[in-house]
Amino acid sequence: QVTLKESGPALVKPTQTLTLTCTFSGFSLTTSGMRVSWIRQPPGKALEWLAHIDWDDDKFYSTSLKTRLTISKDTSKNQVVLTMTNMDPVDTATYYCARIPRNSYYFDFWGQGTLVTVSS
Amino acid sequence: DIQMTQSPSSLSASVGDRVTITCQASQDISNYLNWYQQKPGKAPKLLIYDASNLETGVPSRFSGSGSGTDFTFTISSLQPEDIATYYCQQYDNVTLTFGGGTKVEIK
């Protein structure tokens, strides 16, 4: 079955770079049309899409955050990595990774999320 | 970027009531509109994709309609387990955007 799990630091300091890893199973990012995305949700607030990476290594970023984000994949490890530079307290949020199935643009499977707090 | 205006931001209804949530896109998005349910402390769950298609395993009391810029999500008969926040989400060929969410409570 399809599973995704996020991992990374629970606490980062302002100005630091955040690196999050999504480890997935039950599907392959080498399959044509498959995508994995990152979404975040500040406490008590709405969901915000951050980025996604396609099976063919195309990458797409949120317009407002694209200068700070980098997404990459390691298909041999079934992992997708997101880095976000220059972290600020407003970036405190639960970060989710999610699968976008072939040739579609909805999220059908989600990880459990990981809470990242930005504080000195 | 396309903006999604979701309303209402919250609602209170009785068990058995029909509940309707709307989402308006700032530009035509065809039928690239999806709906999710999120319960506290949990990841969102896909309910409706491509505006009107019910995800496998989702109860038939949930439905969606619309195309272009105006979309509607309906719970035909609200159940206690439907207490959650609901989000719409669009795709515009480049980016994806969520609506602001609708918190549904029992009256």
Side-chain angles (χ1 to χ4, degrees), chain A residues 39 41 45-49 52 60-61 63 96 105-108 110-111, chain B residues 1 34 36 38 42-44 46 49 87 89 91 94-96 98 100:
Chain A
I39 301 110
Q41 185 173 38
K45 296 190 176 181
L47 299 161
E48 178 183 21
W49 171 75
H52 70 252
F60 299 86
Y61 297 99
T63 302
Y96 296 98
Y105 278 95
Y106 52 84
F107 308 106
D108 63 346
W110 295 66
Chain B
D1 287 4
N34 311 305
Y36 301 85
Q38 187 179 32
K42 300 292 187 182
L46 177 68
Y49 64 94
Y87 293 94
Q89 171 251 316
Y91 163 66
V94 178
T95 60
L96 296 89
F98 289 92

PDB file of all heavy atoms in Angstrom, chain A residues 39 41 45-49 52 60-61 63 96 105-108 110-111, chain B residues 1 34 36 38 42-44 46 49 87 89 91 94-96 98 100:
ATOM      1  N   ILE A  39       3.388  20.366   1.141  1.00  0.00           N
ATOM      2  CA  ILE A  39       2.353  21.300   1.561  1.00  0.00           C
ATOM      3  C   ILE A  39       2.625  21.616   3.038  1.00  0.00           C
ATOM      4  O   ILE A  39       3.081  20.749   3.789  1.00  0.00           O
ATOM      5  CB  ILE A  39       0.951  20.650   1.432  1.00  0.00           C
ATOM      6  CG1 ILE A  39       0.698  20.225  -0.018  1.00  0.00           C
ATOM      7  CG2 ILE A  39      -0.144  21.579   1.920  1.00  0.00           C
ATOM      8  CD1 ILE A  39       0.687  18.720  -0.197  1.00  0.00           C
ATOM      9  N   GLN A  41       1.154  23.790   6.777  1.00  0.00           N
ATOM     10  CA  GLN A  41      -0.020  24.342   7.459  1.00  0.00           C
ATOM     11  C   GLN A  41       0.409  24.953   8.780  1.00  0.00           C
ATOM     12  O   GLN A  41       0.693  24.238   9.750  1.00  0.00           O
ATOM     13  CB  GLN A  41      -1.053  23.241   7.700  1.00  0.00           C
ATOM     14  CG  GLN A  41      -2.351  23.731   8.293  1.00  0.00           C
ATOM     15  CD  GLN A  41      -3.392  22.636   8.341  1.00  0.00           C
ATOM     16  OE1 GLN A  41      -3.093  21.476   8.610  1.00  0.00           O
ATOM     17  NE2 GLN A  41      -4.648  23.009   8.066  1.00  0.00           N
ATOM     18  N   LYS A  45      -4.144  27.498  10.828  1.00  0.00           N
ATOM     19  CA  LYS A  45      -4.345  28.189   9.547  1.00  0.00           C
ATOM     20  C   LYS A  45      -4.562  27.201   8.403  1.00  0.00           C
ATOM     21  O   LYS A  45      -4.593  25.998   8.589  1.00  0.00           O
ATOM     22  CB  LYS A  45      -3.157  29.100   9.269  1.00  0.00           C
ATOM     23  CG  LYS A  45      -3.022  30.221  10.292  1.00  0.00           C
ATOM     24  CD  LYS A  45      -1.985  31.246   9.870  1.00  0.00           C
ATOM     25  CE  LYS A  45      -1.931  32.392  10.856  1.00  0.00           C
ATOM     26  NZ  LYS A  45      -0.947  33.419  10.468  1.00  0.00           N
ATOM     27  N   ALA A  46      -4.693  27.765   7.198  1.00  0.00           N
ATOM     28  CA  ALA A  46      -5.028  26.958   6.030  1.00  0.00           C
ATOM     29  C   ALA A  46      -3.801  26.257   5.451  1.00  0.00           C
ATOM     30  O   ALA A  46      -2.648  26.584   5.772  1.00  0.00           O
ATOM     31  CB  ALA A  46      -5.678  27.838   4.968  1.00  0.00           C
ATOM     32  N   LEU A  47      -4.075  25.326   4.570  1.00  0.00           N
ATOM     33  CA  LEU A  47      -3.026  24.608   3.855  1.00  0.00           C
ATOM     34  C   LEU A  47      -2.393  25.515   2.803  1.00  0.00           C
ATOM     35  O   LEU A  47      -3.064  26.360   2.206  1.00  0.00           O
ATOM     36  CB  LEU A  47      -3.631  23.381   3.159  1.00  0.00           C
ATOM     37  CG  LEU A  47      -4.280  22.356   4.085  1.00  0.00           C
ATOM     38  CD1 LEU A  47      -5.231  21.465   3.307  1.00  0.00           C
ATOM     39  CD2 LEU A  47      -3.212  21.522   4.790  1.00  0.00           C
ATOM     40  N   GLU A  48      -1.110  25.305   2.577  1.00  0.00           N
ATOM     41  CA  GLU A  48      -0.376  26.086   1.569  1.00  0.00           C
ATOM     42  C   GLU A  48       0.522  25.132   0.782  1.00  0.00           C
ATOM     43  O   GLU A  48       1.411  24.495   1.358  1.00  0.00           O
ATOM     44  CB  GLU A  48       0.470  27.171   2.229  1.00  0.00           C
ATOM     45  CG  GLU A  48       1.287  27.993   1.231  1.00  0.00           C
ATOM     46  CD  GLU A  48       2.177  29.027   1.895  1.00  0.00           C
ATOM     47  OE1 GLU A  48       2.487  28.887   3.096  1.00  0.00           O
ATOM     48  OE2 GLU A  48       2.582  29.980   1.200  1.00  0.00           O
ATOM     49  N   TRP A  49       0.286  25.055  -0.524  1.00  0.00           N
ATOM     50  CA  TRP A  49       1.136  24.234  -1.374  1.00  0.00           C
ATOM     51  C   TRP A  49       2.500  24.916  -1.538  1.00  0.00           C
ATOM     52  O   TRP A  49       2.570  26.140  -1.732  1.00  0.00           O
ATOM     53  CB  TRP A  49       0.485  24.049  -2.743  1.00  0.00           C
ATOM     54  CG  TRP A  49       1.384  23.395  -3.748  1.00  0.00           C
ATOM     55  CD1 TRP A  49       1.728  22.073  -3.814  1.00  0.00           C
ATOM     56  CD2 TRP A  49       2.079  24.042  -4.817  1.00  0.00           C
ATOM     57  NE1 TRP A  49       2.591  21.862  -4.862  1.00  0.00           N
ATOM     58  CE2 TRP A  49       2.820  23.048  -5.493  1.00  0.00           C
ATOM     59  CE3 TRP A  49       2.155  25.355  -5.265  1.00  0.00           C
ATOM     60  CZ2 TRP A  49       3.605  23.318  -6.605  1.00  0.00           C
ATOM     61  CZ3 TRP A  49       2.939  25.639  -6.377  1.00  0.00           C
ATOM     62  CH2 TRP A  49       3.661  24.627  -7.032  1.00  0.00           C
ATOM     63  N   HIS A  52       6.223  20.825  -6.057  1.00  0.00           N
ATOM     64  CA  HIS A  52       6.173  19.416  -6.391  1.00  0.00           C
ATOM     65  C   HIS A  52       7.218  19.077  -7.435  1.00  0.00           C
ATOM     66  O   HIS A  52       7.724  19.952  -8.138  1.00  0.00           O
ATOM     67  CB  HIS A  52       4.777  18.940  -6.793  1.00  0.00           C
ATOM     68  CG  HIS A  52       4.258  19.421  -8.110  1.00  0.00           C
ATOM     69  ND1 HIS A  52       3.269  20.351  -8.211  1.00  0.00           N
ATOM     70  CD2 HIS A  52       4.569  19.093  -9.381  1.00  0.00           C
ATOM     71  CE1 HIS A  52       2.986  20.579  -9.473  1.00  0.00           C
ATOM     72  NE2 HIS A  52       3.761  19.822 -10.213  1.00  0.00           N
ATOM     73  N   PHE A  60       8.232  22.371  -9.730  1.00  0.00           N
ATOM     74  CA  PHE A  60       7.328  23.512  -9.707  1.00  0.00           C
ATOM     75  C   PHE A  60       7.262  24.046  -8.285  1.00  0.00           C
ATOM     76  O   PHE A  60       7.208  23.271  -7.332  1.00  0.00           O
ATOM     77  CB  PHE A  60       5.931  23.099 -10.185  1.00  0.00           C
ATOM     78  CG  PHE A  60       5.918  22.587 -11.594  1.00  0.00           C
ATOM     79  CD1 PHE A  60       6.185  21.256 -11.860  1.00  0.00           C
ATOM     80  CD2 PHE A  60       5.652  23.434 -12.652  1.00  0.00           C
ATOM     81  CE1 PHE A  60       6.197  20.772 -13.153  1.00  0.00           C
ATOM     82  CE2 PHE A  60       5.658  22.966 -13.961  1.00  0.00           C
ATOM     83  CZ  PHE A  60       5.932  21.636 -14.210  1.00  0.00           C
ATOM     84  N   TYR A  61       7.270  25.383  -8.172  1.00  0.00           N
ATOM     85  CA  TYR A  61       7.331  26.021  -6.865  1.00  0.00           C
ATOM     86  C   TYR A  61       6.240  27.057  -6.680  1.00  0.00           C
ATOM     87  O   TYR A  61       5.804  27.694  -7.637  1.00  0.00           O
ATOM     88  CB  TYR A  61       8.689  26.704  -6.682  1.00  0.00           C
ATOM     89  CG  TYR A  61       9.875  25.762  -6.705  1.00  0.00           C
ATOM     90  CD1 TYR A  61      10.646  25.606  -7.852  1.00  0.00           C
ATOM     91  CD2 TYR A  61      10.222  25.043  -5.573  1.00  0.00           C
ATOM     92  CE1 TYR A  61      11.736  24.743  -7.865  1.00  0.00           C
ATOM     93  CE2 TYR A  61      11.310  24.179  -5.574  1.00  0.00           C
ATOM     94  CZ  TYR A  61      12.063  24.036  -6.729  1.00  0.00           C
ATOM     95  OH  TYR A  61      13.144  23.173  -6.739  1.00  0.00           O
ATOM     96  N   THR A  63       4.825  30.495  -6.124  1.00  0.00           N
ATOM     97  CA  THR A  63       5.353  31.775  -6.604  1.00  0.00           C
ATOM     98  C   THR A  63       5.943  32.594  -5.465  1.00  0.00           C
ATOM     99  O   THR A  63       7.013  33.188  -5.599  1.00  0.00           O
ATOM    100  CB  THR A  63       4.237  32.561  -7.297  1.00  0.00           C
ATOM    101  OG1 THR A  63       3.709  31.781  -8.366  1.00  0.00           O
ATOM    102  CG2 THR A  63       4.750  33.881  -7.830  1.00  0.00           C
ATOM    103  N   TYR A  96       3.740  18.692   5.294  1.00  0.00           N
ATOM    104  CA  TYR A  96       3.269  17.407   4.765  1.00  0.00           C
ATOM    105  C   TYR A  96       3.889  17.136   3.397  1.00  0.00           C
ATOM    106  O   TYR A  96       4.076  18.064   2.603  1.00  0.00           O
ATOM    107  CB  TYR A  96       1.758  17.423   4.547  1.00  0.00           C
ATOM    108  CG  TYR A  96       0.894  17.585   5.761  1.00  0.00           C
ATOM    109  CD1 TYR A  96       0.379  18.827   6.111  1.00  0.00           C
ATOM    110  CD2 TYR A  96       0.538  16.479   6.536  1.00  0.00           C
ATOM    111  CE1 TYR A  96      -0.460  18.971   7.203  1.00  0.00           C
ATOM    112  CE2 TYR A  96      -0.300  16.608   7.636  1.00  0.00           C
ATOM    113  CZ  TYR A  96      -0.797  17.857   7.960  1.00  0.00           C
ATOM    114  OH  TYR A  96      -1.619  17.988   9.051  1.00  0.00           O
ATOM    115  N   TYR A 105      -3.939  16.181 -10.683  1.00  0.00           N
ATOM    116  CA  TYR A 105      -3.434  17.239  -9.809  1.00  0.00           C
ATOM    117  C   TYR A 105      -4.203  17.315  -8.515  1.00  0.00           C
ATOM    118  O   TYR A 105      -4.566  18.390  -8.052  1.00  0.00           O
ATOM    119  CB  TYR A 105      -3.392  18.591 -10.558  1.00  0.00           C
ATOM    120  CG  TYR A 105      -2.141  18.672 -11.388  1.00  0.00           C
ATOM    121  CD1 TYR A 105      -2.152  18.315 -12.729  1.00  0.00           C
ATOM    122  CD2 TYR A 105      -0.935  19.043 -10.818  1.00  0.00           C
ATOM    123  CE1 TYR A 105      -0.995  18.347 -13.481  1.00  0.00           C
ATOM    124  CE2 TYR A 105       0.234  19.079 -11.556  1.00  0.00           C
ATOM    125  CZ  TYR A 105       0.199  18.728 -12.887  1.00  0.00           C
ATOM    126  OH  TYR A 105       1.347  18.764 -13.624  1.00  0.00           O
ATOM    127  N   TYR A 106      -4.433  16.147  -7.930  1.00  0.00           N
ATOM    128  CA  TYR A 106      -4.969  16.107  -6.586  1.00  0.00           C
ATOM    129  C   TYR A 106      -4.064  15.224  -5.733  1.00  0.00           C
ATOM    130  O   TYR A 106      -3.298  14.424  -6.255  1.00  0.00           O
ATOM    131  CB  TYR A 106      -6.412  15.599  -6.577  1.00  0.00           C
ATOM    132  CG  TYR A 106      -6.638  14.284  -7.308  1.00  0.00           C
ATOM    133  CD1 TYR A 106      -6.399  13.069  -6.688  1.00  0.00           C
ATOM    134  CD2 TYR A 106      -7.105  14.281  -8.617  1.00  0.00           C
ATOM    135  CE1 TYR A 106      -6.609  11.878  -7.362  1.00  0.00           C
ATOM    136  CE2 TYR A 106      -7.314  13.094  -9.302  1.00  0.00           C
ATOM    137  CZ  TYR A 106      -7.066  11.893  -8.669  1.00  0.00           C
ATOM    138  OH  TYR A 106      -7.272  10.720  -9.347  1.00  0.00           O
ATOM    139  N   PHE A 107      -4.164  15.380  -4.422  1.00  0.00           N
ATOM    140  CA  PHE A 107      -3.305  14.648  -3.494  1.00  0.00           C
ATOM    141  C   PHE A 107      -4.092  13.468  -2.946  1.00  0.00           C
ATOM    142  O   PHE A 107      -5.035  13.660  -2.177  1.00  0.00           O
ATOM    143  CB  PHE A 107      -2.867  15.571  -2.355  1.00  0.00           C
ATOM    144  CG  PHE A 107      -2.254  16.864  -2.834  1.00  0.00           C
ATOM    145  CD1 PHE A 107      -2.951  18.049  -2.744  1.00  0.00           C
ATOM    146  CD2 PHE A 107      -0.978  16.890  -3.360  1.00  0.00           C
ATOM    147  CE1 PHE A 107      -2.400  19.246  -3.187  1.00  0.00           C
ATOM    148  CE2 PHE A 107      -0.412  18.077  -3.799  1.00  0.00           C
ATOM    149  CZ  PHE A 107      -1.129  19.258  -3.713  1.00  0.00           C
ATOM    150  N   ASP A 108      -3.712  12.251  -3.352  1.00  0.00           N
ATOM    151  CA  ASP A 108      -4.516  11.109  -2.933  1.00  0.00           C
ATOM    152  C   ASP A 108      -3.969  10.406  -1.683  1.00  0.00           C
ATOM    153  O   ASP A 108      -4.727   9.754  -0.963  1.00  0.00           O
ATOM    154  CB  ASP A 108      -4.706  10.110  -4.084  1.00  0.00           C
ATOM    155  CG  ASP A 108      -3.411   9.488  -4.586  1.00  0.00           C
ATOM    156  OD1 ASP A 108      -2.307  10.005  -4.234  1.00  0.00           O
ATOM    157  OD2 ASP A 108      -3.497   8.503  -5.329  1.00  0.00           O
ATOM    158  N   TRP A 110      -1.295  11.133   1.758  1.00  0.00           N
ATOM    159  CA  TRP A 110      -0.552  12.137   2.514  1.00  0.00           C
ATOM    160  C   TRP A 110       0.293  11.450   3.587  1.00  0.00           C
ATOM    161  O   TRP A 110      -0.081  10.406   4.122  1.00  0.00           O
ATOM    162  CB  TRP A 110      -1.509  13.086   3.219  1.00  0.00           C
ATOM    163  CG  TRP A 110      -2.345  13.937   2.334  1.00  0.00           C
ATOM    164  CD1 TRP A 110      -3.327  13.538   1.468  1.00  0.00           C
ATOM    165  CD2 TRP A 110      -2.310  15.366   2.243  1.00  0.00           C
ATOM    166  NE1 TRP A 110      -3.888  14.620   0.842  1.00  0.00           N
ATOM    167  CE2 TRP A 110      -3.276  15.764   1.309  1.00  0.00           C
ATOM    168  CE3 TRP A 110      -1.546  16.357   2.872  1.00  0.00           C
ATOM    169  CZ2 TRP A 110      -3.516  17.103   0.975  1.00  0.00           C
ATOM    170  CZ3 TRP A 110      -1.776  17.682   2.558  1.00  0.00           C
ATOM    171  CH2 TRP A 110      -2.750  18.051   1.611  1.00  0.00           C
ATOM    172  N   GLY A 111       1.404  12.092   3.923  1.00  0.00           N
ATOM    173  CA  GLY A 111       2.126  11.683   5.115  1.00  0.00           C
ATOM    174  C   GLY A 111       1.409  12.194   6.357  1.00  0.00           C
ATOM    175  O   GLY A 111       0.426  12.935   6.263  1.00  0.00           O
TER     176      GLY A 111
ATOM    177  N   ASP B   1      -1.047  34.448  -9.845  1.00  0.00           N
ATOM    178  CA  ASP B   1      -1.541  33.177  -9.342  1.00  0.00           C
ATOM    179  C   ASP B   1      -3.061  33.226  -9.169  1.00  0.00           C
ATOM    180  O   ASP B   1      -3.628  34.261  -8.857  1.00  0.00           O
ATOM    181  CB  ASP B   1      -0.914  32.855  -7.990  1.00  0.00           C
ATOM    182  CG  ASP B   1       0.546  32.444  -8.117  1.00  0.00           C
ATOM    183  OD1 ASP B   1       1.084  32.483  -9.238  1.00  0.00           O
ATOM    184  OD2 ASP B   1       1.145  32.082  -7.083  1.00  0.00           O
ATOM    185  N   ASN B  34     -10.571  20.243  -6.421  1.00  0.00           N
ATOM    186  CA  ASN B  34     -10.656  19.088  -5.549  1.00  0.00           C
ATOM    187  C   ASN B  34     -11.075  19.523  -4.147  1.00  0.00           C
ATOM    188  O   ASN B  34     -10.872  20.680  -3.762  1.00  0.00           O
ATOM    189  CB  ASN B  34      -9.296  18.389  -5.495  1.00  0.00           C
ATOM    190  CG  ASN B  34      -8.722  18.155  -6.882  1.00  0.00           C
ATOM    191  OD1 ASN B  34      -9.367  17.543  -7.743  1.00  0.00           O
ATOM    192  ND2 ASN B  34      -7.522  18.676  -7.137  1.00  0.00           N
ATOM    193  N   TYR B  36     -11.115  18.403   0.122  1.00  0.00           N
ATOM    194  CA  TYR B  36     -10.499  17.597   1.170  1.00  0.00           C
ATOM    195  C   TYR B  36     -11.202  17.834   2.487  1.00  0.00           C
ATOM    196  O   TYR B  36     -11.742  18.921   2.734  1.00  0.00           O
ATOM    197  CB  TYR B  36      -9.012  17.968   1.339  1.00  0.00           C
ATOM    198  CG  TYR B  36      -8.196  17.780   0.089  1.00  0.00           C
ATOM    199  CD1 TYR B  36      -8.148  18.776  -0.875  1.00  0.00           C
ATOM    200  CD2 TYR B  36      -7.483  16.612  -0.149  1.00  0.00           C
ATOM    201  CE1 TYR B  36      -7.417  18.617  -2.037  1.00  0.00           C
ATOM    202  CE2 TYR B  36      -6.738  16.434  -1.318  1.00  0.00           C
ATOM    203  CZ  TYR B  36      -6.724  17.449  -2.245  1.00  0.00           C
ATOM    204  OH  TYR B  36      -5.991  17.278  -3.402  1.00  0.00           O
ATOM    205  N   GLN B  38     -10.331  17.642   6.629  1.00  0.00           N
ATOM    206  CA  GLN B  38      -9.253  17.541   7.595  1.00  0.00           C
ATOM    207  C   GLN B  38      -9.805  17.563   9.014  1.00  0.00           C
ATOM    208  O   GLN B  38     -10.455  18.531   9.403  1.00  0.00           O
ATOM    209  CB  GLN B  38      -8.223  18.658   7.428  1.00  0.00           C
ATOM    210  CG  GLN B  38      -6.994  18.466   8.325  1.00  0.00           C
ATOM    211  CD  GLN B  38      -5.963  19.560   8.157  1.00  0.00           C
ATOM    212  OE1 GLN B  38      -6.285  20.711   7.885  1.00  0.00           O
ATOM    213  NE2 GLN B  38      -4.691  19.197   8.322  1.00  0.00           N
ATOM    214  N   LYS B  42      -4.885  15.658  12.096  1.00  0.00           N
ATOM    215  CA  LYS B  42      -4.727  14.653  11.036  1.00  0.00           C
ATOM    216  C   LYS B  42      -4.389  15.315   9.709  1.00  0.00           C
ATOM    217  O   LYS B  42      -4.639  16.505   9.502  1.00  0.00           O
ATOM    218  CB  LYS B  42      -6.017  13.855  10.868  1.00  0.00           C
ATOM    219  CG  LYS B  42      -6.442  13.097  12.119  1.00  0.00           C
ATOM    220  CD  LYS B  42      -5.480  11.978  12.449  1.00  0.00           C
ATOM    221  CE  LYS B  42      -5.990  11.124  13.598  1.00  0.00           C
ATOM    222  NZ  LYS B  42      -5.026  10.066  13.959  1.00  0.00           N
ATOM    223  N   ALA B  43      -3.831  14.514   8.810  1.00  0.00           N
ATOM    224  CA  ALA B  43      -3.603  14.995   7.458  1.00  0.00           C
ATOM    225  C   ALA B  43      -4.935  15.097   6.716  1.00  0.00           C
ATOM    226  O   ALA B  43      -5.894  14.390   7.040  1.00  0.00           O
ATOM    227  CB  ALA B  43      -2.673  14.041   6.711  1.00  0.00           C
ATOM    228  N   PRO B  44      -5.005  15.976   5.729  1.00  0.00           N
ATOM    229  CA  PRO B  44      -6.225  16.050   4.908  1.00  0.00           C
ATOM    230  C   PRO B  44      -6.503  14.735   4.198  1.00  0.00           C
ATOM    231  O   PRO B  44      -5.592  13.955   3.926  1.00  0.00           O
ATOM    232  CB  PRO B  44      -5.900  17.169   3.913  1.00  0.00           C
ATOM    233  CG  PRO B  44      -4.867  17.993   4.589  1.00  0.00           C
ATOM    234  CD  PRO B  44      -4.036  17.012   5.370  1.00  0.00           C
ATOM    235  N   LEU B  46      -8.621  13.223   0.775  1.00  0.00           N
ATOM    236  CA  LEU B  46      -9.294  13.554  -0.477  1.00  0.00           C
ATOM    237  C   LEU B  46     -10.707  13.001  -0.477  1.00  0.00           C
ATOM    238  O   LEU B  46     -10.932  11.822  -0.204  1.00  0.00           O
ATOM    239  CB  LEU B  46      -8.498  12.967  -1.650  1.00  0.00           C
ATOM    240  CG  LEU B  46      -9.096  13.146  -3.045  1.00  0.00           C
ATOM    241  CD1 LEU B  46      -9.071  14.615  -3.468  1.00  0.00           C
ATOM    242  CD2 LEU B  46      -8.342  12.292  -4.062  1.00  0.00           C
ATOM    243  N   TYR B  49     -12.554  14.703  -6.443  1.00  0.00           N
ATOM    244  CA  TYR B  49     -11.529  15.179  -7.375  1.00  0.00           C
ATOM    245  C   TYR B  49     -12.165  15.552  -8.710  1.00  0.00           C
ATOM    246  O   TYR B  49     -13.250  15.068  -9.051  1.00  0.00           O
ATOM    247  CB  TYR B  49     -10.404  14.147  -7.561  1.00  0.00           C
ATOM    248  CG  TYR B  49     -10.841  12.845  -8.183  1.00  0.00           C
ATOM    249  CD1 TYR B  49     -10.751  12.635  -9.548  1.00  0.00           C
ATOM    250  CD2 TYR B  49     -11.329  11.804  -7.383  1.00  0.00           C
ATOM    251  CE1 TYR B  49     -11.155  11.446 -10.109  1.00  0.00           C
ATOM    252  CE2 TYR B  49     -11.734  10.609  -7.934  1.00  0.00           C
ATOM    253  CZ  TYR B  49     -11.640  10.427  -9.305  1.00  0.00           C
ATOM    254  OH  TYR B  49     -12.041   9.241  -9.865  1.00  0.00           O
ATOM    255  N   TYR B  87     -11.459  21.851   2.697  1.00  0.00           N
ATOM    256  CA  TYR B  87     -10.667  22.728   1.829  1.00  0.00           C
ATOM    257  C   TYR B  87     -10.912  22.390   0.362  1.00  0.00           C
ATOM    258  O   TYR B  87     -10.963  21.207  -0.010  1.00  0.00           O
ATOM    259  CB  TYR B  87      -9.169  22.555   2.100  1.00  0.00           C
ATOM    260  CG  TYR B  87      -8.703  23.029   3.449  1.00  0.00           C
ATOM    261  CD1 TYR B  87      -8.616  22.153   4.521  1.00  0.00           C
ATOM    262  CD2 TYR B  87      -8.337  24.366   3.641  1.00  0.00           C
ATOM    263  CE1 TYR B  87      -8.174  22.594   5.772  1.00  0.00           C
ATOM    264  CE2 TYR B  87      -7.899  24.801   4.879  1.00  0.00           C
ATOM    265  CZ  TYR B  87      -7.825  23.912   5.944  1.00  0.00           C
ATOM    266  OH  TYR B  87      -7.386  24.356   7.167  1.00  0.00           O
ATOM    267  N   GLN B  89      -9.161  22.927  -3.502  1.00  0.00           N
ATOM    268  CA  GLN B  89      -7.793  23.044  -4.031  1.00  0.00           C
ATOM    269  C   GLN B  89      -7.877  23.059  -5.554  1.00  0.00           C
ATOM    270  O   GLN B  89      -8.561  22.240  -6.147  1.00  0.00           O
ATOM    271  CB  GLN B  89      -6.924  21.880  -3.559  1.00  0.00           C
ATOM    272  CG  GLN B  89      -5.553  21.787  -4.213  1.00  0.00           C
ATOM    273  CD  GLN B  89      -5.439  20.615  -5.168  1.00  0.00           C
ATOM    274  OE1 GLN B  89      -5.867  19.499  -4.878  1.00  0.00           O
ATOM    275  NE2 GLN B  89      -4.857  20.848  -6.345  1.00  0.00           N
ATOM    276  N   TYR B  91      -5.835  23.610  -9.529  1.00  0.00           N
ATOM    277  CA  TYR B  91      -4.602  23.479 -10.291  1.00  0.00           C
ATOM    278  C   TYR B  91      -4.755  24.310 -11.566  1.00  0.00           C
ATOM    279  O   TYR B  91      -5.786  24.241 -12.242  1.00  0.00           O
ATOM    280  CB  TYR B  91      -4.345  22.021 -10.667  1.00  0.00           C
ATOM    281  CG  TYR B  91      -3.339  21.873 -11.769  1.00  0.00           C
ATOM    282  CD1 TYR B  91      -2.016  22.241 -11.571  1.00  0.00           C
ATOM    283  CD2 TYR B  91      -3.710  21.395 -13.026  1.00  0.00           C
ATOM    284  CE1 TYR B  91      -1.092  22.131 -12.584  1.00  0.00           C
ATOM    285  CE2 TYR B  91      -2.787  21.273 -14.047  1.00  0.00           C
ATOM    286  CZ  TYR B  91      -1.484  21.644 -13.823  1.00  0.00           C
ATOM    287  OH  TYR B  91      -0.575  21.537 -14.823  1.00  0.00           O
ATOM    288  N   VAL B  94       0.397  25.301 -13.553  1.00  0.00           N
ATOM    289  CA  VAL B  94       1.722  25.579 -12.996  1.00  0.00           C
ATOM    290  C   VAL B  94       1.725  25.418 -11.480  1.00  0.00           C
ATOM    291  O   VAL B  94       2.591  24.768 -10.917  1.00  0.00           O
ATOM    292  CB  VAL B  94       2.203  27.000 -13.361  1.00  0.00           C
ATOM    293  CG1 VAL B  94       3.568  27.276 -12.719  1.00  0.00           C
ATOM    294  CG2 VAL B  94       2.254  27.176 -14.867  1.00  0.00           C
ATOM    295  N   THR B  95       0.765  26.061 -10.837  1.00  0.00           N
ATOM    296  CA  THR B  95       0.748  26.057  -9.374  1.00  0.00           C
ATOM    297  C   THR B  95      -0.570  25.491  -8.861  1.00  0.00           C
ATOM    298  O   THR B  95      -1.547  25.364  -9.587  1.00  0.00           O
ATOM    299  CB  THR B  95       0.943  27.474  -8.816  1.00  0.00           C
ATOM    300  OG1 THR B  95      -0.117  28.302  -9.287  1.00  0.00           O
ATOM    301  CG2 THR B  95       2.280  28.061  -9.239  1.00  0.00           C
ATOM    302  N   LEU B  96      -0.542  25.158  -7.576  1.00  0.00           N
ATOM    303  CA  LEU B  96      -1.739  24.656  -6.914  1.00  0.00           C
ATOM    304  C   LEU B  96      -2.068  25.604  -5.764  1.00  0.00           C
ATOM    305  O   LEU B  96      -1.163  26.167  -5.138  1.00  0.00           O
ATOM    306  CB  LEU B  96      -1.499  23.248  -6.364  1.00  0.00           C
ATOM    307  CG  LEU B  96      -1.221  22.155  -7.403  1.00  0.00           C
ATOM    308  CD1 LEU B  96       0.271  22.066  -7.704  1.00  0.00           C
ATOM    309  CD2 LEU B  96      -1.729  20.815  -6.899  1.00  0.00           C
ATOM    310  N   PHE B  98      -4.870  26.280  -2.343  1.00  0.00           N
ATOM    311  CA  PHE B  98      -5.970  25.855  -1.491  1.00  0.00           C
ATOM    312  C   PHE B  98      -6.854  27.045  -1.143  1.00  0.00           C
ATOM    313  O   PHE B  98      -6.387  28.188  -1.057  1.00  0.00           O
ATOM    314  CB  PHE B  98      -5.434  25.262  -0.190  1.00  0.00           C
ATOM    315  CG  PHE B  98      -4.776  23.911  -0.359  1.00  0.00           C
ATOM    316  CD1 PHE B  98      -3.410  23.827  -0.580  1.00  0.00           C
ATOM    317  CD2 PHE B  98      -5.526  22.755  -0.289  1.00  0.00           C
ATOM    318  CE1 PHE B  98      -2.792  22.586  -0.724  1.00  0.00           C
ATOM    319  CE2 PHE B  98      -4.924  21.508  -0.433  1.00  0.00           C
ATOM    320  CZ  PHE B  98      -3.556  21.428  -0.650  1.00  0.00           C
ATOM    321  N   GLY B 100      -9.340  28.897   1.755  1.00  0.00           N
ATOM    322  CA  GLY B 100      -9.059  29.220   3.149  1.00  0.00           C
ATOM    323  C   GLY B 100      -9.652  28.258   4.172  1.00  0.00           C
ATOM    324  O   GLY B 100      -9.347  28.355   5.362  1.00  0.00           O
TER     325      GLY B 100
END
